[in-house]
Amino acid sequence: MQLQKKADMECVVQGIIETQHVEALEILLQGLCGVQRERLRIHEICLKNGPNLGLVASEVRLLCDLEQTEPSWTVRHIGGAMRGAGAEQISVLVRTMVESKVSKNVLRMFYTLGYKLDHELLRVGFSFQFNRGAQITVTVSSVNKMLKLHATDEAVPVTPGIQMVEVTAPASAENYTEVAAAVSSFCEYLAPLLHLSKPGVSTGVVPTAAAAAASLMSDGGGTTL
Amino acid sequence: MINILFFITDYLFVVKLRRVEREEQLWGLGQCGRKGETKKGRRMEGELVQQQQERLNQAVQQQLNLEQVKMRAISLFKAISRILEDFDAYARTNTTPKWQDILGQYSMVNLELFNIVDDIKKVSKPFLVYPKNVNADNATILPVMLSTKLLPEMETEDTSKRDQLLQGMQNLPIATQIDKLKARLDMIAGACEGAEKVLADTRKAYCFGTRQGPAIAPALDKGQAAKIQEQENLLRAAVNVGEGLRIPGDQRHITASLPMHLADVFTVNEGAQSFPEGSSNNAYMKNTPLSSNSMGGQNSLLQTSGSQLLGRSAASPNVATSATFDNTAASPIPYANSPRSSTNMMNTPSPQQQTSQQQQQQPTVQQQQRQKMMQLPQQQQQLLAQQQQFRQSAMQGLGQLHGQHQMQFSQQIGHQQFQGRQLTSGHVQHGIGQSQLNQGNQMTRISQFSGAANNALFSAAQTTPNTQMIPNISAGISSQSLLPRMQFGLSGNNPQRNHASQMLNDQMFSMGGGNPGGMMSIQQQQQQQQSSQGAFGGMASNAQNLQSGMMTLQNTQQNHPNFSQQRQQNQQ
């Protein structure tokens, strides 16, 4: 019997892709992952604690999955990223992350504790979850903002022409190197379409994206070897 | 094509791509010793010659990245086998395959293969391959794979086609042959273009999606790249930090319609404000529903009125209809000295909430009161009407009032018993009908129920000094009916009372008109009545009640056992 490893960290990379190439990316991911895509519609509420609550600023994210018939809530706390020379050599970001399913009273509970709403956003897109050296989740979504408080039906994209791609994998302190390697090797497959980098590091678009997308979308008759 | 790739990778499997000091030759590589080779190649050649060791140049090694190529090839293999399996499944179950998906997967595989081969081509220049891993399986096919000559069948096919092409032109000089072939090519190209055009037009006409992707777009120019960079920064900042997503505080009020997943989560406005600020007040408002008991006969009116005054210290006619307000537990109104009660008194809802509540509540209050009016005998109805009007005017004043009402109450009352206590409007309610009760006794009892609640209402009482609106009554009231004591024309035994009550009457009637000016008159009364406060001690609280609005009357419907007893005492 294996002891369940406590996965309190995650490896994460982010990238951007132009909206016109999202379909091609989906085809590529479909082929690479071998699983069906899952639709994604998540209302993310970010709460920060007030000045009277503790010495350290703390931030908590509540994710409400609106895709299910019964909205399910998750609370997530993202900690600091690993630092140091070793961390710089890894091409993915490794950071502490704790996640848990919660009931729908979570928002009220945090307000009662003194947390205040900092910002909220709505992610609409799809995701793939598969195992390739590690349990990897790829999320492609358009990030929408709400002009009125909690008006998820009236959300508009922050950047209409660009969508966010995130590749994450849970890890623990013992195995994060392997997980990081698995994630980065998977990312190489996506190289024709987009570049992925640590959150906060900007990458720009890939020059071959258009051609790769065209090739993916076409019936494949064009290229000869 | 795929076979070739696997072939190559099979050989590559024996490659050990590391900087090892071993003598072992990597793939039995023969370094291309051609003169035109790059410096790297020559260097490597030199090395080979000198050391009999093989170290691939670091750059080439990195570019080649054999491990990665191997992995890519394997995954490609898996993808293809997956597709084949899918086809198998389709064939077996005899279902129609989803061509869209299959074509998508195929194009993915195609792209990947193309990329791998392309990558290898780039680095294959300095290398040549020679078979190392030859066994029985490979031996027969090996020469064929390595040869560059066409297979015999292909060769014959090729020659026959060539003959066909040059049929009429064998005799002519080469130049003319070339020209003629060119002309033919041009014609065919023209025909193809025409056909493509027709296809494109038809597609547009029938709105087919173009599976043929666009021609390779030119590289992004600087302007576009800058725009994209800017957008990217926006997006990354929004996701990671929340830039650009924060709504300023003044816009953070909940819209009328919350999405479904939040509808039952929210109770009051969140955002910058603390969450539970108004909820307790609202609770009080809501938990003291309008007494809707039917008024009994005349006698019962008074009896019930007194009892109700005692029992329902916090009866509130306000029914919060706003959906956003929380249903907290019933407020502990009966406990005058409980911390919550006092707190609640101090925490008034914000003016916005108050006014909105009142606006919502006033119509309902009016409705309910109207219902009761129907049931009351006429006199009572009159009084009720007056009181209602007064109350409403008082309620309108509520929005501007905050806080301190209780303190003022206690101050104004001046009765010893009330000092130090926080008289809430609960006292006020006890008012009417209790005046006949013994002041001393009554006081204690009343103060018990002072409780909190109805802060809103009581805040009105605050401005109108607690007075003495006491209509009542007390012993002066003829025993015939308690009702008259509600009315202001008391012919009580107590001259003082009469005096005061007459004053009150005047005031009350004037107030009955529902004019806010009535509030002023009450103040006058208060001054006068304070002089005779002893007698009116018990009435002081009642006066407050009256001011805060005749909810007392509404509260009178509850039966309080003490009251009837006391009344008997008084009358006796």
Side-chain angles (χ1 to χ4, degrees), chain A residues 76-195:
Chain A
R76 175 188 285 183
H77 179 269
I78 296 179
M82 236 178 60
R83 288 172 197 226
E88 280 167 33
Q89 286 188 352
I90 307 182
S91 55
V92 306
L93 189 81
V94 185
R95 62 188 181 190
T96 52
M97 192 275 296
V98 184
E99 211 175 42
S100 167
K101 292 260 178 218
V102 287
S103 78
K104 64 182 183 192
N105 295 320
V106 59
L107 187 59
R108 211 195 293 181
M109 187 198 87
F110 274 102
Y111 281 141
T112 313
L113 286 175
Y115 278 77
K116 311 268 196 300
L117 176 76
D118 186 56
H119 64 269
E120 56 177 351
L121 52 91
L122 181 73
R123 290 182 198 261
V124 181
F126 55 87
S127 77
F128 289 87
Q129 261 192 352
F130 58 96
N131 197 309
R132 185 192 274 260
Q135 190 67 23
I136 297 180
T137 308
V138 184
T139 307
V140 180
S141 59
S142 97
V143 176
N144 303 332
K145 65 181 173 188
M146 286 151 262
L147 301 163
K148 284 190 274 187
L149 201 61
H150 299 319
T152 48
D153 298 327
E154 300 166 17
V156 292
V158 173
T159 52
I162 297 189
Q163 296 202 1
M164 170 71 75
V165 180
E166 265 188 334
V167 180
T168 61
S172 69
E174 293 98 14
N175 69 351
Y176 71 86
T177 37
E178 288 97 29
V179 174
V183 170
S184 55
S185 75
F186 173 74
C187 293
E188 286 172 12
Y189 288 97
L190 305 178
L193 278 174
L194 74 159
H195 276 323

Side-chain angles (χ1 to χ4, degrees), chain B residues 332-518:
Chain B
I333 290 171
Y335 305 104
N337 295 328
S338 70
R340 196 206 273 205
S341 60
S342 53
T343 329
N344 285 329
M345 291 297 289
M346 302 312 281
N347 291 340
T348 46
S350 64
Q352 268 184 355
Q353 291 178 0
Q354 275 187 343
T355 45
S356 64
Q357 288 173 18
Q358 290 158 18
Q359 287 160 8
Q360 291 168 357
Q361 292 151 359
Q362 278 175 356
T364 55
V365 164
Q366 285 172 358
Q367 283 174 11
Q368 291 174 354
Q369 291 176 354
R370 257 182 244 120
Q371 288 174 7
K372 292 173 199 167
M373 295 280 278
M374 302 305 289
Q375 299 156 357
L376 293 174
Q378 197 177 16
Q379 289 170 340
Q380 295 175 4
Q381 286 180 4
Q382 275 182 14
L383 190 60
L384 256 181
Q386 290 165 6
Q387 292 176 343
Q388 284 179 7
Q389 285 166 349
F390 180 78
R391 180 196 299 139
Q392 285 170 5
S393 61
M395 281 169 62
Q396 284 164 6
L398 282 184
Q400 294 95 38
L401 299 173
H402 293 282
Q404 329 104 15
H405 11 277
Q406 295 172 5
M407 303 313 291
Q408 291 192 14
F409 280 155
S410 50
Q411 289 167 13
Q412 286 166 359
I413 288 171
H415 193 275
Q416 290 176 0
Q417 291 192 350
F418 292 107
Q419 283 174 2
R421 289 202 202 221
Q422 280 191 337
L423 264 191
T424 68
S425 43
H427 284 298
V428 181
Q429 290 181 353
H430 301 315
I432 307 174
Q434 286 181 359
S435 56
Q436 51 177 313
L437 302 175
N438 242 345
Q439 288 144 19
N441 298 342
Q442 310 313 328
M443 289 326 210
T444 35
R445 257 181 238 106
I446 290 168
S447 53
Q448 281 175 7
F449 294 105
S450 62
N454 301 350
N455 12 21
L457 290 171
F458 300 135
S459 56
Q462 177 191 5
T463 53
T464 66
N466 323 272
T467 47
Q468 307 83 29
M469 304 282 306
I470 296 162
N472 337 344
I473 355 319
S474 59
I477 298 171
S478 63
S479 56
Q480 291 163 6
S481 70
L482 289 172
L483 219 169
R485 85 171 163 171
M486 304 294 255
Q487 297 176 354
F488 303 108
L490 288 179
S491 58
N493 301 335
N494 190 335
Q496 277 182 335
R497 283 225 188 85
N498 282 340
H499 170 70
S501 54
Q502 280 167 10
M503 299 286 296
L504 266 175
N505 280 341
D506 298 338
Q507 306 290 352
M508 283 310 297
F509 280 120
S510 64
M511 295 210 28
N515 54 357

Side-chain angles (χ1 to χ4, degrees), chain A residues 16 18 162 203-205, chain B residues 219-233:
Chain A
I16 56 155
E18 292 182 76
I162 297 189
T203 56
V205 283
Chain B
L220 294 168
D221 59 1
K222 275 197 177 168
Q224 264 189 324
K227 272 187 228 159
I228 290 188
Q229 181 71 22
E230 189 189 320
Q231 295 270 300
E232 178 190 353
N233 292 339

Side-chain angles (χ1 to χ4, degrees), chain B residues 117-132:
Chain B
V117 172
D118 209 35
D119 285 345
I120 293 199
K121 263 194 207 165
K122 283 187 216 155
V123 282
S124 62
K125 219 171 179 192
F127 301 111
L128 60 88
V129 177
Y130 96 143
K132 197 166 179 184

